[in-house]
Amino acid sequence: MKPVNLNDVSSYVEQHIGVFHQKRIQSIDSLKLTDVLKRKNPYLFKAKNVLTSEQIVKTLVDAHISSNEETIFGDWLEGLAIFINGQVYGGWKSGITGIDLEFDMEGFRHIVTIKSGPNWGNSSQIQKMKDDFKTAQKALRTSNSNLVIKAINGCCYGRDNKPDKGDYFKYCGQKFWEFISGNDQLYLEIIEPLGHKAKERNDEFQASYAQMINKFTRTFANNFCKENGDIDWERLVEFNSSIYKL
């Protein structure tokens, strides 16, 4: 083990944070109004007395962005965690299905699956993770029967006060970043580098966002509004739910 070098972490972030912002913009540019309209409950809009095309469009696009950004940034943080662990413990990106990181520490092979936050999955998804851990343990012991393995669910933020889950350990937030780096303050120290060129990157994103809202609002009005400007709720519900294609 060697101490984490914060200058190296900052350099990594500065070199790679652009990927996150690029993917944010790409997710907007590739979005189709028809796709998001089919995923949202049209009855909810009516029940909330939504009256304008822009209100509906912004709700649809914002919901997509919120969900998509969590996934994109979660993947990006996973890369950061693997980089940091590699610097400190010599860890590596695992090639085993369902496992993100492997590294050796204190006589144990640690197999880690990395999630954004603590409430990432339902019971079937958690069971799938546990099955992946068992499969990985069998695969690793095939080549080294003496290997002592610990399975870890690491979460980049949040907390879990009962980390021992029986089949695996769950480390969240400060505990996770300390676990992979040996530095109990790393969870605070990575905040500043993450803001590298954030304003100019966000300005680019906002420009694409505004264009998308304007374009979708025009398309929605042309297809789902009556001549007098009212939303044509029957047509919208038919598009969303009818067994017949419009």
Side-chain angles (χ1 to χ4, degrees):
M1 172 187 173
K2 63 179 181 179
V4 61
N5 186 319
L6 293 177
N7 289 329
D8 289 344
V9 174
S10 294
S11 295
Y12 177 93
V13 171
E14 290 178 9
Q15 292 171 20
H16 293 84
I17 194 64
V19 174
F20 164 65
H21 293 290
Q22 288 168 5
K23 288 186 176 181
R24 289 175 74 211
I25 293 174
Q26 289 170 1
S27 75
I28 288 290
D29 291 344
S30 62
L31 195 60
K32 295 180 180 179
L33 178 62
T34 52
D35 291 340
V36 290
L37 276 174
K38 290 175 181 176
R39 294 198 294 262
K40 198 69 177 178
N41 184 349
Y43 303 109
L44 178 61
F45 290 123
K46 182 63 173 176
K48 292 173 66 176
N49 196 35
V50 175
L51 299 176
T52 69
S53 300
E54 185 176 357
Q55 282 179 286
I56 290 179
V57 166
K58 277 183 64 65
T59 299
L60 293 169
V61 173
D62 289 351
H64 168 83
I65 290 172
S66 178
S67 173
N68 204 49
E69 283 187 343
E70 185 78 14
T71 299
I72 293 173
F73 196 61
D75 291 343
W76 190 90
L77 278 178
E78 175 191 318
L80 175 62
I82 293 171
F83 168 79
I84 290 171
N85 184 264
Q87 298 295 302
V88 177
Y89 292 110
W92 59 94
K93 170 116 180 117
S94 178
I96 302 174
T97 300
I99 307 301
D100 299 312
L101 168 67
E102 289 184 57
F103 71 100
D104 296 322
M105 180 177 67
E106 298 175 348
F108 294 93
R109 169 67 53 82
H110 294 83
I111 55 174
V112 187
T113 182
I114 302 172
K115 305 295 182 182
S116 289
N119 303 312
W120 58 267
N122 57 34
S123 58
S124 61
Q125 290 169 317
I126 292 172
Q127 183 59 52
K128 173 64 165 56
M129 178 187 69
K130 292 163 70 173
D131 291 342
D132 287 340
F133 281 146
K134 291 177 182 178
T135 300
Q137 289 168 337
K138 289 180 181 177
L140 290 169
R141 286 180 178 135
T142 298
S143 56
N144 185 352
S145 60
N146 295 321
L147 203 60
V148 183
I149 302 170
K150 280 188 179 181
I152 311 293
N153 172 202
C155 302
C156 296
Y157 68 86
R159 58 167 63 96
D160 189 308
N161 296 323
K162 296 181 179 179
D164 189 345
K165 306 301 181 185
D167 298 324
Y168 65 97
F169 292 87
K170 184 175 182 179
Y171 299 146
C172 299
Q174 179 182 11
K175 182 65 177 176
F176 168 67
W177 292 103
E178 180 183 5
F179 164 68
I180 63 164
S181 71
N183 181 348
D184 65 358
Q185 294 300 301
L186 184 65
Y187 79 114
L188 297 175
E189 292 167 342
I190 60 174
I191 285 291
E192 187 61 31
L194 290 176
H196 178 68
K197 294 187 177 180
K199 184 182 183 304
E200 62 186 77
R201 298 284 189 177
N202 202 55
D203 287 345
E204 294 176 30
F205 176 80
Q206 289 299 327
S208 293
Y209 173 82
Q211 292 170 358
M212 186 60 62
I213 294 296
N214 290 336
K215 183 171 68 174
F216 279 7
T217 299
R218 182 180 60 204
T219 301
F220 184 93
N222 289 339
N223 288 277
F224 300 105
C225 286
K226 300 176 182 178
E227 288 296 324
N228 67 355
D230 287 344
I231 294 173
D232 189 337
W233 290 104
E234 287 190 6
R235 180 166 179 78
L236 180 59
V237 172
E238 283 180 336
F239 175 82
N240 176 274
S241 303
S242 175
I243 61 174
Y244 305 104
K245 290 185 178 180
L246 293 183

